[in-house]
């Protein structure tokens, strides 16, 4: 879907989320802890949200939201991000997008 | 808590795809060997055995008592008398060194004789008969309990019907249902889990035993690797079980009802906090290379960050549920819409429990990558024993004397 692809290519670090979802919130906190500010797109606040959610799933995200894209590529949902972080792979991946103050 | 013998689990184990009959036989064999060593010493031992030792690696778990001594329930029950334990501990003070040595390496004297196939077969047949007998008794007890539960359920349903007919507010009736609570499906999910968990714990203790013997016997890395792999997949099995019961009743998992009280004290979203366990276990795995120390440090930090994130997410969930439940006017006694909305929000709890377990799994996995086989074995042994110590703490705490009396051997009676 175009909107999804555009958002994903324009921003290095994108999270598709729902404002009511607490697990999505937890993931946002995690990125904060490692010193990055991802571009968050709340699909429940977007009129095209449903379609976007379907598009994200077609791109390979098996779990429900949140869906995390880094450098235009789908990383996955909470499971994948946690695994990546514990294996030490998340920080190198987000380093290009870390805020200058860090 | 129901009392299940190893035999019932062994027979049920047959249903599991990766069941190894050899494990069950070895387990019985090891315990029987140990029991026969004890009885052959013609000492005035009760069938409980508590061998204290200073280092973690040679600590004899109280849990084994449930398997050697037929009349003892598993560790979760408050019925184990610590007076017996401390009593025996005092008697054993002089014997502990030799006894523990023999228990840890029963191979010295017995393996030569047991290498005769006829003896082995006879022993196995006897064990099988005993196991079958125990199994029948357990089944009987379990069926009896089911019957009792069924009768209770009928009783409660009748009470509920009476209350409804009295034109109570539906809300009042709903509260009744909540307390009673549970649909048949829910209950059976929990019952199944509790049965499986007792089995799991027995297998766990057997594996701890094996690890301890293996590390003391200086077996090869290849053989040790097999034990480590068993240990890892055993934990994975637990996570699968938890995931299943979380779908049935997430509050059951959150409250840690199946665990002992001391374990529950450390509970974080339905289990241990992985970073806490790392702090406990890493000193037991020393020495580590500089590179390993760095990797473990990073792992611990990542873990803590992930835990913080989940904790904050949980906090948000609590706020959300609370706000939803409290929305609208209070005081009229009608609140079904709020309850219905809160139900939807609460469903996210299952995801949090799964994420927390995922974190535990990943931590375990990462440690297995960082450590050598031998270190991983020591780590698993330490972890298993740490849990056993927590369980022992729970039992002793439950039986502690009340009032200002000190915990001496005399007072513990």
């Amino acid at each position: 879907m175009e909107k999804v692809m555009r958002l994903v290519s324009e921003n290095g670090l994108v999270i598709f989320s729902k404002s009511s979802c607490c697990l999505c919130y937890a993931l946002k906190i995690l990125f904060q802890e490692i010193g990055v500010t991802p571009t968050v797109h709340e699909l429940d606040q977007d009129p095209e949200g449903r379609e976007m959610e379907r598009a994200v799933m077609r791109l390979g995200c098996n779990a429900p939201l949140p869906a995390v894209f880094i450098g235009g590529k789908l990383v996955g949902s909470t499971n994948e991000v946690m695994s990546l972080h514990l294996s030490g792979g998340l920080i190198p991946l987000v380093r290009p997008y870390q805020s200058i103050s860090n | 808590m129901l009392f299940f013998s190893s035999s019932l689990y062994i027979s049920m184990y047959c249903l599991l795809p990766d069941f190894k009959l050899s494990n069950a036989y070895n387990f019985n064999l090891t315990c029987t060997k140990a029991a026969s060593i004890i009885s052959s010493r013609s000492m005035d031992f009760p069938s409980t055995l508590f061998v204290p030792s200073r280092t973690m690696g040679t600590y004899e778990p109280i849990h084994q008592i449930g398997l050697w001594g037929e009349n003892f329930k598993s560790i979760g029950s408050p019925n184990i008398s610590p007076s017996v334990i401390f009593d025996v501990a005092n008697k054993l003070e002089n014997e502990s060194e030799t006894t523990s040595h023999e228990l840890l390496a029963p191979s010295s004297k017995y393996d030569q004789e047991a290498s005769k196939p006829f003896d082995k077969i006879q022993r196995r047949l006897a064990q099988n008969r005993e196991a079958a007998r125990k199994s029948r008794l357990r089944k009987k007890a379990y069926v009896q309990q089911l019957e009792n539960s069924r009768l209770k359920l009928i009783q409660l349903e009748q009470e509920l019907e009476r209350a409804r007919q009295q034109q109570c507010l539906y809300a009042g009736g709903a509260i009744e249902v909540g307390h009673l609570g549970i649909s048949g499906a829910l209950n059976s999910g929990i019952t199944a889990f509790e049965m499986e968990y007792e089995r799991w714990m027995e297998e766990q203790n057997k594996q701890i035993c094996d690890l301890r013997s293996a590390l003391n016997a200086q077996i090869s890395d290849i053989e040790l690797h097999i034990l480590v792999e068993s240990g890892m997949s055993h934990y994975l099995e637990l996570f699968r079980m938890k995931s299943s019961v979380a779908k049935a009743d997430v509050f059951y998992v959150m409250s840690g009802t199946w665990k002992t009280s001391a374990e529950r004290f450390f509970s974080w979203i339905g289990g241990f906090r992985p970073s806490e366990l790392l702090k406990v276990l890493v000193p037991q795995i020393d020495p580590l290379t500089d590179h390993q120390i760095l990797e473990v440090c990073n792992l611990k930090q990542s873990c803590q960050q992930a835990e913080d994130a989940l904790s904050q997410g949980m906090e948000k969930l609590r706020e959300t549920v609370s706000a939803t439940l409290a929305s609208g006017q209070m005081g009229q006694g009608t609140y079904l819409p709020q309850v219905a909305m809160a139900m939807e929000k609460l469903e996210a709890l299952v995801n949090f429990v799964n994420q927390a377990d995922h974190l535990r799994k990943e931590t375990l996995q990462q440690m297995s990558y960082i450590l050598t086989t031998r270190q991983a074995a020591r780590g698993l042994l330490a972890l298993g024993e740490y849990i056993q110590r927590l369980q022992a703490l729970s039992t002793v705490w439950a039986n502690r004397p009340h009032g200002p009396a000190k915990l001496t051997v005399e007072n513990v009676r």
Side-chain angles (χ1 to χ4, degrees):
Chain A
M1 184 202 172
E2 262 190 39
K3 188 164 182 181
V4 168
M5 298 316 294
R6 187 172 45 83
L7 279 164
V8 150
S9 55
E10 280 177 5
N11 303 283
L13 192 50
V14 181
I15 305 182
F16 290 106
S17 153
K18 276 193 180 144
S19 57
S20 58
C21 169
C22 295
L23 203 55
C24 298
Y25 177 77
L27 204 62
K28 291 172 207 163
I29 297 286
L30 180 62
F31 280 111
Q32 246 177 54
E33 297 221 354
I34 64 175
V36 282
T37 315
T39 309
V40 179
H41 202 84
E42 307 284 8
L43 294 188
D44 56 339
Q45 289 166 356
D46 190 315
E48 296 176 271
R50 277 253 173 87
E51 218 191 307
M52 291 173 76
E53 196 177 336
R54 276 196 294 269
V56 163
M57 295 196 65
R58 272 197 301 272
L59 285 169
C61 187
N62 292 323
L65 301 175
V68 176
F69 287 79
I70 303 180
K73 290 207 201 85
L74 175 69
V75 169
S77 187
T78 335
N79 265 4
E80 287 78 24
V81 174
M82 294 278 179
S83 302
L84 197 58
H85 189 42
L86 254 58
S87 66
L90 187 63
I91 292 186
L93 214 56
V94 304
R95 196 161 286 138
Y97 314 106
Q98 270 177 327
S99 35
I100 299 163
S101 54
N102 286 298
Chain B
M1 209 157 165
L2 298 173
F3 174 29
F4 287 98
S5 72
S6 55
S7 56
L8 181 60
Y9 298 143
I10 289 166
S11 53
M12 284 181 168
Y13 253 141
C14 293
L15 301 172
L16 293 177
D18 52 353
F19 168 72
K20 288 194 175 73
L21 196 62
S22 54
N23 283 353
Y25 281 132
N26 288 339
F27 171 44
N28 260 339
L29 209 54
T30 310
C31 292
T32 315
K33 276 182 196 172
S36 53
I37 291 168
I38 296 161
S39 52
S40 75
R41 291 166 64 81
S42 34
M43 285 281 200
D44 178 41
F45 281 23
S47 47
T48 51
L49 198 65
F50 185 85
V51 184
S53 175
R54 261 162 255 112
T55 58
M56 238 189 194
T58 54
Y59 186 96
E60 277 301 309
I62 293 178
H63 220 104
Q64 287 295 52
I65 294 169
L67 305 160
W68 296 339
E70 292 182 32
N71 298 321
F72 287 84
K73 294 187 183 175
S74 62
I75 203 80
S77 160
N79 290 336
I80 298 182
S81 167
S83 60
V84 181
I85 294 167
F86 283 97
D87 232 348
V88 174
N90 277 320
K91 280 188 201 167
L92 289 178
E93 210 62 68
N94 300 327
E95 317 295 330
S96 65
E97 295 306 289
T98 30
T99 309
S100 64
H101 171 72
E102 286 207 64
L103 286 168
L104 292 170
S107 51
S108 50
K109 172 160 94 170
Y110 275 74
D111 262 358
Q112 288 154 16
E113 292 162 42
S115 64
K116 296 177 189 167
F118 182 72
D119 278 353
K120 246 191 194 167
I121 291 167
Q122 284 300 91
R123 215 190 315 249
R124 278 186 197 172
L125 286 173
Q127 285 161 13
N128 282 353
R129 280 194 293 275
E130 186 55 28
R133 189 184 73 86
K134 281 191 202 162
S135 177
R136 284 190 294 274
L137 288 171
R138 297 301 157 257
K139 184 178 176 182
K140 204 172 167 195
Y142 178 60
V143 167
Q144 186 60 48
Q145 212 205 28
L146 276 180
E147 278 303 297
N148 294 343
S149 301
R150 198 176 68 87
L151 289 169
K152 182 124 213 267
L153 188 62
I154 293 170
Q155 218 179 339
L156 291 167
E157 278 173 358
Q158 285 168 350
E159 270 178 41
L160 188 62
E161 197 47 52
R162 269 196 295 275
R164 281 210 182 114
Q165 280 164 7
Q166 282 165 27
Q167 301 280 315
C168 281
L169 286 171
Y170 179 73
I175 293 170
E176 293 282 296
V177 171
H179 278 302
L180 301 179
I182 333 185
S183 73
L186 221 65
N187 212 359
S188 71
I190 291 173
T191 312
F193 175 84
E194 290 192 337
M195 275 175 58
E196 279 185 300
Y197 182 72
E198 284 219 31
R199 252 189 285 155
W200 187 91
M201 208 61 232
E202 282 195 7
E203 173 62 25
Q204 172 77 346
N205 289 327
K206 182 232 171 210
Q207 288 191 0
I208 302 297
C209 248
D210 288 348
L211 272 172
R212 198 177 287 127
S213 317
L215 285 168
N216 281 313
Q218 313 267 323
I219 67 170
S220 73
D221 267 15
I222 297 171
E223 287 169 301
L224 205 55
H225 180 75
I226 295 171
L227 287 176
V228 169
E229 285 300 303
S230 299
M232 297 285 290
S233 41
H234 197 55
Y235 279 112
L236 291 182
E237 180 58 33
L238 180 63
F239 292 129
R240 269 194 289 276
M241 285 159 52
K242 282 175 76 181
S243 170
S244 181
V245 78
K247 289 195 196 104
D249 184 357
V250 70
F251 283 123
Y252 176 79
V253 177
M254 281 293 292
S255 64
T257 312
W258 73 95
K259 294 190 179 193
T260 62
S261 43
E263 288 174 271
R264 268 179 269 136
F265 174 58
F266 289 97
S267 193
W268 171 80
I269 315 186
F272 285 109
R273 208 181 255 269
S275 61
E276 258 178 26
L277 284 184
L278 284 179
K279 281 194 203 120
V280 166
L281 300 177
V282 169
Q284 299 291 331
I285 308 174
D286 270 345
L288 295 167
T289 66
D290 285 344
H291 180 67
Q292 285 179 320
I293 291 172
L294 182 65
E295 293 208 283
V296 170
C297 222
N298 289 337
L299 179 62
K300 211 187 296 173
Q301 190 180 36
S302 312
C303 224
Q304 273 163 341
Q305 286 167 338
E307 286 165 17
D308 282 342
L310 286 180
S311 293
Q312 292 195 46
M314 280 288 285
E315 195 46 51
K316 178 124 199 285
L317 183 60
R318 273 189 277 264
E319 284 169 17
T320 309
V321 171
S322 175
T324 306
L325 215 47
S327 65
Q329 277 277 8
M330 288 212 240
Q332 299 307 310
T334 54
Y335 35 80
L336 279 187
Q338 285 87 349
V339 170
M341 282 194 294
M343 280 277 288
E344 267 184 55
K345 307 282 178 189
L346 209 47
E347 279 166 17
L349 192 55
V350 181
N351 295 333
F352 273 95
V353 169
N354 288 335
Q355 273 312 305
D357 272 352
H358 177 73
L359 205 63
R360 292 173 188 117
K361 248 188 286 182
E362 282 300 305
T363 307
L364 210 59
Q365 203 75 269
Q366 286 301 318
M367 282 299 275
S368 75
Y369 297 152
I370 295 170
L371 301 176
T372 64
T373 305
R374 197 152 289 266
Q375 288 169 328
R378 294 210 324 263
L380 282 174
L381 177 58
L383 175 58
E385 206 178 285
Y386 179 63
I387 294 170
Q388 285 171 346
R389 289 189 183 191
L390 281 171
Q391 293 171 340
L393 177 62
S394 305
T395 305
V396 174
W397 178 262
N399 290 286
R400 77 195 185 283
H402 296 277
K406 282 189 291 185
L407 197 72
T408 61
V409 171
E410 293 78 29
N411 291 1
V412 158
R413 274 176 234 269

